[in-house]
Amino acid sequence: ALRQLHSGDRGPSSIESEDHAEVQRLKALLAQASAAGQALVEKNNELLREKEFLLSENDALKNEMEELQTAQEFFQEEIGDLRRRTEVAPRATTRFGGTSTID
């Protein structure tokens, strides 16, 4: 009714037509917003799946690193044992005048 007063010569059907066009425009905007929202939800879900995968990979790598550290410690102890054994191993003179280590 206010539109009719301001426009002067437009009748009720003109106002209804404008209202209908505005409703259609708003419906189209709502559809776009809904589609954009759905795309964001899908992207969020994709990122959450990727995050879970990466966390799982991270855990697996942490476990592997712990295993490697344990193996490194073991081999360092073995190397230390071998060094100690070779340092204290008795030396014997060979037939040829050299020395050799007796295990």
XYZ file of all heavy atoms in Angstrom:
808
model
N 0.831 -1.192 0.000
C 0.000 0.000 0.000
C 0.870 1.249 0.000
O 0.529 2.223 -0.661
C -0.924 0.003 1.204
N 1.967 1.249 0.753
C 2.862 2.400 0.751
C 3.490 2.601 -0.622
O 3.652 3.730 -1.073
C 3.962 2.239 1.795
C 3.537 2.390 3.257
C 4.720 2.120 4.176
C 2.968 3.767 3.515
N 3.791 1.501 -1.280
C 4.354 1.610 -2.628
C 3.362 2.293 -3.568
O 3.732 3.080 -4.408
C 4.703 0.226 -3.175
C 5.924 -0.359 -2.556
C 6.283 -1.642 -3.238
N 7.294 -2.353 -2.460
C 7.618 -3.593 -2.641
N 7.010 -4.290 -3.564
N 8.526 -4.159 -1.916
N 2.111 1.945 -3.406
C 1.080 2.516 -4.279
C 0.984 4.017 -4.054
O 0.848 4.771 -4.999
C -0.276 1.845 -4.019
C -1.340 2.221 -5.026
C -2.634 1.462 -4.789
O -2.774 0.799 -3.775
N -3.555 1.569 -5.723
N 1.080 4.449 -2.824
C 1.015 5.878 -2.537
C 2.195 6.623 -3.142
O 2.050 7.706 -3.681
C 0.982 6.123 -1.026
C -0.291 5.687 -0.289
C -0.098 5.883 1.203
C -1.488 6.478 -0.790
N 3.381 6.030 -3.048
C 4.576 6.685 -3.566
C 4.627 6.654 -5.091
O 5.106 7.583 -5.720
C 5.843 6.044 -2.995
C 6.047 6.348 -1.546
N 6.305 7.612 -1.093
C 6.022 5.557 -0.449
C 6.428 7.590 0.235
N 6.253 6.344 0.646
N 4.145 5.575 -5.687
C 4.242 5.456 -7.134
C 3.135 6.210 -7.848
O 3.263 6.527 -9.014
C 4.221 3.984 -7.531
O 2.955 3.431 -7.183
N 2.096 6.435 -7.191
C 1.008 7.215 -7.778
C 0.104 6.400 -8.666
O -1.017 6.119 -8.307
N 0.586 5.971 -9.827
C -0.297 5.338 -10.796
C -0.217 3.827 -10.806
O -0.919 3.183 -11.553
C -0.022 5.891 -12.201
C 1.386 5.605 -12.672
O 2.242 5.254 -11.827
O 1.633 5.728 -13.885
N 0.628 3.220 -9.960
C 0.695 1.756 -9.973
C -0.443 1.170 -9.154
O -0.714 1.607 -8.049
C 2.027 1.276 -9.398
C 3.188 1.600 -10.356
C 4.410 0.863 -9.989
N 5.014 1.461 -8.793
C 6.121 1.021 -8.240
N 6.726 -0.020 -8.740
N 6.613 1.598 -7.190
N -1.018 0.142 -9.694
C -2.143 -0.493 -9.022
C -1.700 -1.704 -8.231
O -0.524 -2.051 -8.183
N -2.674 -2.375 -7.609
C -2.375 -3.546 -6.785
C -1.661 -4.654 -7.548
O -0.792 -5.311 -7.010
C -3.738 -4.019 -6.295
C -4.639 -2.850 -6.456
C -4.068 -2.013 -7.550
N -1.988 -4.879 -8.802
C -1.349 -5.974 -9.541
C 0.130 -5.679 -9.773
O 0.959 -6.583 -9.780
C -2.057 -6.223 -10.862
O -1.931 -5.084 -11.691
N 0.483 -4.424 -9.924
C 1.888 -4.048 -10.092
C 2.664 -4.328 -8.808
O 3.779 -4.831 -8.847
C 1.981 -2.569 -10.456
O 3.329 -2.158 -10.501
N 2.055 -4.004 -7.672
C 2.689 -4.261 -6.368
C 2.824 -5.764 -6.141
O 3.883 -6.242 -5.699
C 1.888 -3.597 -5.230
C 1.988 -2.075 -5.364
C 2.401 -4.056 -3.872
C 1.085 -1.323 -4.434
N 1.798 -6.523 -6.468
C 1.858 -7.977 -6.302
C 2.944 -8.562 -7.186
O 3.665 -9.477 -6.778
C 0.499 -8.600 -6.637
C -0.551 -8.340 -5.584
C -1.932 -8.840 -6.009
O -2.037 -9.508 -7.054
O -2.883 -8.559 -5.278
N 3.079 -8.034 -8.383
C 4.109 -8.508 -9.299
C 5.497 -8.214 -8.734
O 6.388 -9.050 -8.809
C 3.933 -7.839 -10.656
O 4.956 -8.240 -11.518
N 5.692 -7.019 -8.175
C 6.975 -6.669 -7.566
C 7.261 -7.549 -6.345
O 8.378 -8.000 -6.141
C 6.986 -5.195 -7.160
C 7.096 -4.243 -8.320
C 7.041 -2.782 -7.884
O 7.145 -2.524 -6.656
O 6.898 -1.928 -8.752
N 6.212 -7.774 -5.545
C 6.373 -8.647 -4.378
C 6.748 -10.058 -4.810
O 7.608 -10.700 -4.216
C 5.089 -8.670 -3.540
C 4.880 -7.386 -2.763
O 5.840 -6.580 -2.669
O 3.761 -7.184 -2.253
N 6.085 -10.554 -5.852
C 6.374 -11.899 -6.351
C 7.834 -11.976 -6.851
O 8.542 -12.943 -6.562
C 5.402 -12.271 -7.475
C 5.649 -13.634 -8.031
N 5.356 -14.777 -7.333
C 6.187 -14.032 -9.218
C 5.697 -15.829 -8.060
N 6.199 -15.397 -9.215
N 8.275 -10.936 -7.560
C 9.655 -10.904 -8.059
C 10.638 -10.881 -6.890
O 11.680 -11.543 -6.929
C 9.858 -9.694 -8.964
N 10.297 -10.103 -5.845
C 11.164 -10.030 -4.661
C 11.221 -11.377 -3.955
O 12.293 -11.825 -3.521
C 10.663 -8.939 -3.709
C 11.504 -8.743 -2.468
C 12.885 -8.162 -2.733
O 13.178 -7.746 -3.858
O 13.686 -8.146 -1.789
N 10.087 -12.051 -3.848
C 10.046 -13.383 -3.227
C 10.909 -14.351 -4.037
O 11.676 -15.137 -3.470
C 8.585 -13.882 -3.097
C 8.551 -15.372 -2.775
C 7.838 -13.087 -2.040
N 10.803 -14.302 -5.349
C 11.604 -15.183 -6.199
C 13.099 -14.893 -6.052
O 13.922 -15.806 -5.998
C 11.172 -15.042 -7.675
C 9.770 -15.542 -7.949
C 9.565 -16.978 -7.494
O 10.376 -17.861 -7.748
N 8.468 -17.214 -6.781
N 13.440 -13.622 -5.976
C 14.837 -13.232 -5.787
C 15.355 -13.748 -4.448
O 16.466 -14.294 -4.357
C 14.966 -11.706 -5.854
C 16.410 -11.200 -5.838
C 16.482 -9.678 -5.850
N 16.141 -9.097 -4.564
C 16.966 -9.060 -3.509
N 18.160 -9.591 -3.585
N 16.588 -8.505 -2.374
N 14.543 -13.607 -3.392
C 14.943 -14.092 -2.070
C 15.053 -15.612 -2.043
O 15.961 -16.164 -1.408
C 13.970 -13.590 -1.004
C 14.023 -12.077 -0.744
C 12.899 -11.676 0.216
C 15.369 -11.655 -0.205
N 14.161 -16.298 -2.746
C 14.233 -17.762 -2.829
C 15.524 -18.185 -3.528
O 16.184 -19.141 -3.114
C 13.018 -18.327 -3.574
C 11.766 -18.384 -2.745
C 10.635 -19.027 -3.543
C 9.361 -19.131 -2.737
N 8.276 -19.745 -3.513
N 15.886 -17.454 -4.589
C 17.119 -17.774 -5.312
C 18.335 -17.541 -4.413
O 19.274 -18.344 -4.397
C 17.220 -16.932 -6.582
N 18.317 -16.446 -3.658
C 19.415 -16.176 -2.723
C 19.498 -17.253 -1.645
O 20.594 -17.690 -1.268
C 19.243 -14.802 -2.076
C 19.579 -13.595 -2.943
C 19.209 -12.300 -2.202
C 21.044 -13.579 -3.315
N 18.352 -17.667 -1.156
C 18.309 -18.726 -0.149
C 18.865 -20.033 -0.709
O 19.630 -20.732 -0.033
C 16.877 -18.922 0.356
C 16.673 -19.986 1.426
C 17.509 -19.672 2.660
C 15.208 -20.098 1.781
N 18.514 -20.340 -1.952
C 19.028 -21.555 -2.593
C 20.547 -21.473 -2.739
O 21.258 -22.453 -2.489
C 18.361 -21.773 -3.944
N 21.057 -20.295 -3.133
C 22.509 -20.114 -3.259
C 23.189 -20.264 -1.903
O 24.231 -20.908 -1.783
C 22.829 -18.741 -3.841
C 22.520 -18.592 -5.309
C 22.787 -17.176 -5.797
O 22.964 -16.247 -5.007
N 22.797 -17.006 -7.107
N 22.608 -19.657 -0.884
C 23.184 -19.740 0.462
C 23.163 -21.180 0.959
O 24.125 -21.647 1.582
C 22.433 -18.820 1.416
N 22.079 -21.873 0.679
C 21.964 -23.269 1.091
C 23.014 -24.124 0.391
O 23.666 -24.970 1.018
C 20.561 -23.784 0.772
O 20.446 -25.131 1.142
N 23.196 -23.904 -0.917
C 24.203 -24.659 -1.667
C 25.604 -24.343 -1.140
O 26.440 -25.246 -0.991
C 24.098 -24.336 -3.154
N 25.859 -23.082 -0.864
C 27.166 -22.697 -0.325
C 27.385 -23.325 1.052
O 28.474 -23.808 1.354
C 27.275 -21.172 -0.238
N 26.340 -23.334 1.860
C 26.434 -23.959 3.182
C 26.701 -25.444 3.069
O 27.529 -25.995 3.805
N 26.021 -26.111 2.139
C 26.230 -27.550 1.933
C 27.653 -27.814 1.461
O 28.287 -28.765 1.905
C 25.216 -28.097 0.919
C 25.313 -29.587 0.712
C 25.066 -30.387 1.974
O 24.241 -30.022 2.809
N 25.786 -31.476 2.143
N 28.165 -26.963 0.570
C 29.545 -27.127 0.097
C 30.528 -26.967 1.250
O 31.520 -27.705 1.339
C 29.844 -26.114 -1.013
N 30.247 -26.027 2.150
C 31.124 -25.840 3.310
C 31.083 -27.048 4.240
O 32.120 -27.469 4.771
C 30.738 -24.575 4.073
C 31.112 -23.257 3.407
C 30.510 -22.086 4.187
C 32.612 -23.100 3.307
N 29.901 -27.604 4.435
C 29.771 -28.797 5.279
C 30.559 -29.951 4.669
O 31.289 -30.663 5.366
C 28.276 -29.174 5.458
C 28.122 -30.566 6.039
C 27.585 -28.148 6.345
N 30.451 -30.136 3.356
C 31.175 -31.212 2.683
C 32.683 -31.003 2.784
O 33.430 -31.944 3.045
C 30.735 -31.319 1.228
C 29.324 -31.853 1.081
C 28.790 -31.774 -0.348
O 29.590 -31.501 -1.282
O 27.582 -31.988 -0.532
N 33.135 -29.765 2.580
C 34.564 -29.469 2.692
C 35.050 -29.697 4.120
O 36.137 -30.247 4.348
C 34.841 -28.017 2.254
C 36.294 -27.653 2.227
C 37.063 -28.469 1.205
C 38.494 -28.022 1.102
N 39.258 -28.820 0.154
N 34.244 -29.293 5.093
C 34.585 -29.513 6.498
C 34.717 -31.004 6.789
O 35.667 -31.434 7.454
C 33.530 -28.870 7.398
C 33.921 -28.930 8.857
O 34.990 -28.513 9.236
N 33.033 -29.476 9.674
N 33.779 -31.800 6.283
C 33.840 -33.250 6.491
C 35.085 -33.850 5.842
O 35.740 -34.714 6.422
C 32.575 -33.921 5.954
C 31.363 -33.635 6.805
O 31.481 -33.270 7.971
N 30.188 -33.766 6.229
N 35.415 -33.353 4.648
C 36.618 -33.818 3.956
C 37.862 -33.485 4.777
O 38.754 -34.317 4.944
C 36.696 -33.149 2.578
C 37.940 -33.487 1.789
C 38.021 -32.685 0.500
O 36.979 -32.276 -0.038
O 39.153 -32.456 0.048
N 37.907 -32.276 5.312
C 39.054 -31.864 6.119
C 39.140 -32.658 7.419
O 40.242 -32.999 7.878
C 38.992 -30.364 6.409
C 39.221 -29.459 5.196
C 38.945 -28.009 5.564
C 40.625 -29.624 4.642
N 37.993 -32.979 8.003
C 37.998 -33.798 9.219
C 38.531 -35.202 8.926
O 39.301 -35.762 9.720
C 36.592 -33.874 9.825
C 36.108 -32.604 10.517
C 34.638 -32.741 10.915
C 36.952 -32.293 11.741
N 38.125 -35.774 7.768
C 38.644 -37.096 7.395
C 40.151 -37.029 7.173
O 40.895 -37.910 7.613
C 37.935 -37.608 6.135
C 36.527 -38.108 6.369
C 35.957 -38.811 5.144
N 35.847 -37.927 3.994
C 34.821 -37.140 3.727
N 33.780 -37.120 4.548
N 34.805 -36.376 2.654
N 40.610 -35.965 6.519
C 42.037 -35.803 6.281
C 42.787 -35.637 7.598
O 43.869 -36.196 7.787
C 42.282 -34.595 5.375
C 43.716 -34.460 4.930
C 43.923 -33.349 3.919
O 42.965 -32.930 3.250
O 45.072 -32.892 3.809
N 42.196 -34.889 8.522
C 42.819 -34.700 9.836
C 42.952 -36.041 10.551
O 44.009 -36.347 11.119
C 41.974 -33.735 10.669
C 42.477 -33.545 12.086
C 41.531 -32.688 12.892
C 41.912 -32.653 14.351
N 40.902 -32.007 15.179
N 41.898 -36.849 10.529
C 41.948 -38.160 11.185
C 43.030 -39.036 10.559
O 43.765 -39.728 11.263
C 40.580 -38.854 11.107
C 39.534 -38.227 12.005
C 39.930 -38.239 13.470
O 40.431 -39.273 13.962
O 39.742 -37.204 14.130
N 43.114 -39.000 9.225
C 44.143 -39.778 8.537
C 45.533 -39.320 8.967
O 46.405 -40.138 9.267
C 43.979 -39.640 7.013
C 45.122 -40.220 6.242
C 45.256 -41.589 6.091
C 46.084 -39.392 5.679
C 46.332 -42.123 5.393
C 47.154 -39.918 4.989
C 47.282 -41.288 4.836
N 45.744 -37.998 8.989
C 47.054 -37.470 9.360
C 47.397 -37.772 10.809
O 48.557 -38.068 11.135
C 47.115 -35.965 9.085
C 47.105 -35.579 7.597
C 46.991 -34.070 7.448
C 48.332 -36.109 6.881
N 46.413 -37.716 11.694
C 46.666 -38.076 13.095
C 47.052 -39.543 13.208
O 47.959 -39.905 13.976
C 45.431 -37.773 13.955
C 45.173 -36.296 14.238
C 43.822 -36.125 14.942
C 46.284 -35.680 15.066
N 46.391 -40.388 12.435
C 46.720 -41.811 12.428
C 48.133 -42.034 11.907
O 48.912 -42.807 12.469
C 45.700 -42.563 11.568
O 46.084 -43.900 11.409
N 48.478 -41.348 10.817
C 49.835 -41.434 10.266
C 50.863 -40.935 11.281
O 51.934 -41.520 11.421
C 49.943 -40.607 8.978
C 49.269 -41.244 7.787
C 49.979 -42.484 7.319
O 51.176 -42.417 7.002
O 49.321 -43.542 7.276
N 50.530 -39.853 11.972
C 51.421 -39.302 12.980
C 51.670 -40.319 14.091
O 52.816 -40.515 14.526
C 50.824 -38.005 13.545
C 51.785 -37.268 14.438
O 52.946 -37.104 14.109
N 51.297 -36.817 15.585
N 50.612 -40.980 14.547
C 50.762 -41.999 15.585
C 51.636 -43.151 15.097
O 52.498 -43.644 15.826
C 49.388 -42.532 16.020
C 48.605 -41.526 16.842
O 49.215 -40.556 17.342
O 47.369 -41.699 16.966
N 51.414 -43.573 13.855
C 52.212 -44.668 13.296
C 53.686 -44.259 13.216
O 54.579 -45.048 13.532
C 51.688 -45.062 11.922
N 53.937 -43.030 12.796
C 55.322 -42.554 12.714
C 55.960 -42.431 14.093
O 57.149 -42.738 14.268
C 55.381 -41.214 11.978
C 55.114 -41.291 10.471
C 54.975 -39.897 9.893
C 56.206 -42.071 9.763
N 55.178 -42.003 15.085
C 55.709 -41.938 16.452
C 56.107 -43.333 16.937
O 57.168 -43.513 17.539
C 54.668 -41.338 17.403
C 54.548 -39.843 17.335
C 53.510 -39.346 18.325
C 53.315 -37.853 18.268
N 52.259 -37.414 19.180
N 55.248 -44.325 16.664
C 55.551 -45.702 17.073
C 56.812 -46.204 16.367
O 57.662 -46.839 16.988
C 54.376 -46.626 16.765
C 53.189 -46.362 17.663
O 53.320 -45.805 18.744
N 52.012 -46.738 17.206
N 56.913 -45.905 15.080
C 58.092 -46.328 14.327
C 59.343 -45.654 14.868
O 60.397 -46.283 14.990
C 57.901 -45.993 12.844
C 58.940 -46.611 11.943
C 58.633 -46.396 10.476
O 57.463 -46.288 10.105
O 59.615 -46.337 9.709
N 59.242 -44.383 15.213
C 60.387 -43.666 15.760
C 60.815 -44.278 17.100
O 62.009 -44.446 17.362
C 60.044 -42.180 15.942
C 61.238 -41.328 16.286
S 60.889 -39.570 16.227
C 60.078 -39.329 17.784
N 59.834 -44.638 17.928
C 60.161 -45.273 19.205
C 60.872 -46.607 18.980
O 61.841 -46.928 19.673
C 58.900 -45.467 20.038
C 58.335 -44.179 20.604
C 57.000 -44.375 21.310
O 56.548 -45.537 21.458
O 56.400 -43.364 21.705
N 60.396 -47.380 17.993
C 61.039 -48.657 17.685
C 62.475 -48.433 17.203
O 63.385 -49.173 17.580
C 60.239 -49.414 16.624
C 58.914 -49.944 17.124
C 58.069 -50.557 16.019
O 58.579 -50.741 14.888
O 56.894 -50.846 16.279
N 62.660 -47.419 16.361
C 64.003 -47.119 15.869
C 64.923 -46.656 16.997
O 66.112 -47.022 17.031
C 63.940 -46.063 14.760
C 63.357 -46.535 13.434
C 63.142 -45.347 12.508
C 64.255 -47.581 12.785
N 64.388 -45.877 17.928
C 65.201 -45.439 19.063
C 65.598 -46.632 19.927
O 66.734 -46.720 20.393
C 64.441 -44.401 19.886
C 64.389 -43.043 19.215
C 63.516 -42.045 19.965
O 62.634 -42.422 20.735
N 63.750 -40.762 19.730
N 64.665 -47.557 20.119
C 64.966 -48.761 20.895
C 66.046 -49.581 20.191
O 66.998 -50.056 20.828
C 63.693 -49.608 21.092
O 62.729 -48.823 21.788
C 63.974 -50.873 21.875
N 65.928 -49.731 18.871
C 66.930 -50.481 18.109
C 68.274 -49.769 18.171
O 69.319 -50.414 18.327
C 66.476 -50.635 16.663
N 68.267 -48.443 18.081
C 69.512 -47.677 18.152
C 70.189 -47.887 19.508
O 71.398 -48.107 19.576
C 69.231 -46.193 17.917
C 70.470 -45.332 17.964
C 70.157 -43.849 17.821
O 69.027 -43.425 17.978
N 71.179 -43.067 17.520
N 69.404 -47.840 20.574
C 69.963 -48.057 21.910
C 70.569 -49.454 22.014
O 71.661 -49.628 22.561
C 68.885 -47.857 22.972
C 68.442 -46.411 23.130
C 67.182 -46.270 23.971
O 66.676 -47.283 24.510
O 66.691 -45.123 24.089
N 69.855 -50.447 21.468
C 70.349 -51.823 21.500
C 71.681 -51.923 20.767
O 72.654 -52.490 21.279
C 69.320 -52.765 20.867
C 69.834 -54.151 20.642
C 69.934 -55.045 21.695
C 70.252 -54.550 19.381
C 70.433 -56.329 21.489
C 70.754 -55.821 19.170
C 70.845 -56.719 20.227
N 71.735 -51.349 19.555
C 72.975 -51.441 18.778
C 74.104 -50.647 19.406
O 75.268 -51.044 19.340
C 72.732 -51.015 17.328
C 71.972 -52.051 16.535
C 70.740 -51.752 15.989
C 72.490 -53.325 16.366
C 70.039 -52.706 15.278
C 71.788 -54.286 15.652
C 70.557 -53.976 15.103
N 73.785 -49.527 20.050
C 74.834 -48.779 20.745
C 75.408 -49.605 21.886
O 76.622 -49.608 22.122
C 74.289 -47.441 21.257
C 74.121 -46.415 20.161
C 73.460 -45.130 20.644
O 72.766 -45.120 21.648
N 73.677 -44.046 19.898
N 74.547 -50.342 22.589
C 75.032 -51.225 23.657
C 75.889 -52.339 23.072
O 76.935 -52.691 23.628
C 73.847 -51.812 24.432
C 73.132 -50.804 25.311
C 71.899 -51.393 25.992
O 71.740 -52.638 25.992
O 71.099 -50.606 26.518
N 75.452 -52.907 21.942
C 76.226 -53.976 21.298
C 77.596 -53.464 20.854
O 78.613 -54.135 21.032
C 75.465 -54.534 20.088
C 74.264 -55.381 20.446
C 74.665 -56.675 21.122
O 75.561 -57.389 20.603
O 74.088 -56.982 22.188
N 77.620 -52.266 20.279
C 78.889 -51.672 19.843
C 79.796 -51.447 21.050
O 80.998 -51.743 21.007
C 78.631 -50.354 19.071
C 77.999 -50.657 17.720
C 79.918 -49.555 18.907
C 77.468 -49.432 16.993
N 79.210 -50.942 22.134
C 79.984 -50.744 23.362
C 80.553 -52.048 23.878
O 81.731 -52.115 24.271
N 79.748 -53.114 23.869
C 80.229 -54.430 24.310
C 81.373 -54.919 23.428
O 82.383 -55.437 23.930
C 79.087 -55.457 24.285
C 78.066 -55.227 25.385
O 78.349 -54.426 26.308
O 76.972 -55.832 25.318
N 81.211 -54.750 22.116
C 82.269 -55.193 21.193
C 83.553 -54.409 21.427
O 84.651 -54.981 21.411
C 81.813 -55.030 19.740
C 80.770 -56.028 19.262
C 80.256 -55.636 17.880
C 81.349 -57.434 19.229
N 83.425 -53.116 21.651
C 84.625 -52.295 21.915
C 85.321 -52.755 23.196
O 86.546 -52.852 23.248
C 84.236 -50.820 22.027
C 83.997 -50.173 20.698
C 83.798 -48.682 20.835
N 83.549 -48.100 19.526
C 82.697 -47.129 19.300
N 82.016 -46.587 20.287
N 82.533 -46.664 18.080
N 84.520 -52.990 24.226
C 85.119 -53.427 25.493
C 85.819 -54.778 25.324
O 86.894 -54.995 25.849
C 84.055 -53.497 26.586
C 83.684 -52.133 27.166
C 82.776 -52.249 28.378
N 81.430 -52.759 28.068
C 80.459 -52.038 27.529
N 80.656 -50.768 27.226
N 79.282 -52.561 27.292
N 85.208 -55.674 24.571
C 85.826 -56.986 24.373
C 87.124 -56.882 23.584
O 88.075 -57.589 23.877
C 84.862 -57.943 23.657
C 83.854 -58.551 24.619
C 83.134 -59.701 23.986
N 81.924 -59.174 23.347
C 81.287 -59.731 22.343
N 81.734 -60.860 21.819
N 80.211 -59.194 21.843
N 87.139 -56.017 22.582
C 88.373 -55.899 21.790
C 89.456 -55.157 22.550
O 90.638 -55.401 22.327
C 88.110 -55.189 20.437
O 87.539 -53.916 20.691
C 87.213 -56.009 19.556
N 89.088 -54.250 23.449
C 90.084 -53.513 24.226
C 90.775 -54.414 25.237
O 91.949 -54.244 25.525
C 89.433 -52.333 24.956
C 89.039 -51.200 24.030
C 88.184 -50.144 24.730
O 87.891 -50.315 25.937
O 87.796 -49.179 24.073
N 90.051 -55.374 25.791
C 90.631 -56.233 26.841
C 91.048 -57.596 26.312
O 91.527 -58.420 27.068
C 89.644 -56.425 28.018
C 89.348 -55.105 28.688
C 88.382 -57.115 27.566
N 90.897 -57.830 25.031
C 91.254 -59.140 24.476
C 92.769 -59.328 24.546
O 93.526 -58.411 24.224
C 90.789 -59.239 23.032
N 93.191 -60.498 24.982
C 94.633 -60.754 25.072
C 95.254 -60.813 23.682
O 94.632 -61.238 22.730
C 94.723 -62.101 25.781
C 93.402 -62.739 25.554
C 92.407 -61.634 25.394
N 96.463 -60.339 23.600
C 97.193 -60.349 22.325
C 98.175 -61.531 22.349
O 98.805 -61.814 23.357
C 97.968 -59.052 22.143
C 97.090 -57.826 22.222
C 96.907 -57.232 20.858
N 96.028 -56.065 20.935
C 95.133 -55.818 20.026
N 94.974 -56.612 19.015
N 94.382 -54.750 20.115
N 98.275 -62.165 21.242
C 99.232 -63.279 21.136
C 100.150 -63.018 19.951
O 99.744 -62.434 18.967
C 98.485 -64.588 20.940
N 101.347 -63.462 20.083
C 102.295 -63.286 18.995
C 102.049 -64.386 17.974
O 101.902 -65.551 18.325
C 103.734 -63.384 19.514
O 103.887 -62.425 20.557
C 104.747 -63.132 18.425
N 102.002 -63.961 16.720
C 101.809 -64.961 15.650
C 103.126 -65.553 15.252
O 104.187 -65.063 15.652
C 101.119 -64.323 14.421
O 102.030 -63.372 13.889
C 99.803 -63.665 14.771
N 103.114 -66.559 14.460
C 104.332 -67.203 13.944
C 105.168 -66.211 13.157
O 106.360 -66.392 13.034
C 103.992 -68.331 12.984
C 103.557 -69.558 13.601
C 103.536 -70.711 12.652
N 102.769 -70.486 11.421
C 102.690 -71.365 10.469
N 103.304 -72.508 10.565
N 101.970 -71.109 9.403
N 104.485 -65.224 12.600
C 105.176 -64.300 11.737
C 105.640 -63.043 12.446
O 106.060 -62.087 11.835
C 104.292 -63.931 10.541
C 103.807 -65.133 9.805
C 102.503 -65.548 9.919
C 104.686 -65.869 9.005
C 102.060 -66.667 9.238
C 104.254 -66.999 8.331
C 102.934 -67.408 8.436
N 105.527 -63.000 13.760
C 106.034 -61.893 14.525
C 104.996 -60.792 14.810
O 105.269 -59.889 15.560
N 103.803 -60.867 14.226
C 102.774 -59.878 14.473
C 101.929 -60.267 15.661
O 102.208 -61.243 16.366
N 100.925 -59.493 15.938
C 100.025 -59.846 17.033
C 98.635 -60.078 16.454
O 98.274 -59.540 15.416
C 99.932 -58.722 18.080
O 99.488 -57.538 17.457
C 101.276 -58.497 18.753
N 97.865 -60.886 17.132
C 96.468 -61.093 16.733
C 95.620 -61.140 17.996
O 96.144 -61.425 19.066
C 96.303 -62.382 15.914
O 96.311 -63.501 16.767
N 94.374 -60.888 17.818
C 93.458 -60.896 18.950
C 92.887 -62.290 19.103
O 92.450 -62.905 18.138
C 92.316 -59.879 18.724
O 92.885 -58.603 18.512
C 91.375 -59.835 19.892
N 92.879 -62.768 20.317
C 92.284 -64.074 20.589
C 90.933 -63.839 21.220
O 90.815 -63.109 22.205
C 93.155 -64.901 21.549
C 94.524 -65.134 20.924
C 92.461 -66.198 21.910
C 95.504 -65.822 21.849
N 89.918 -64.435 20.618
C 88.558 -64.261 21.184
C 88.241 -65.331 22.166
O 88.550 -66.458 22.071
C 87.524 -64.271 20.048
C 87.643 -63.001 19.214
O 88.014 -61.953 19.754
O 87.372 -63.102 18.002
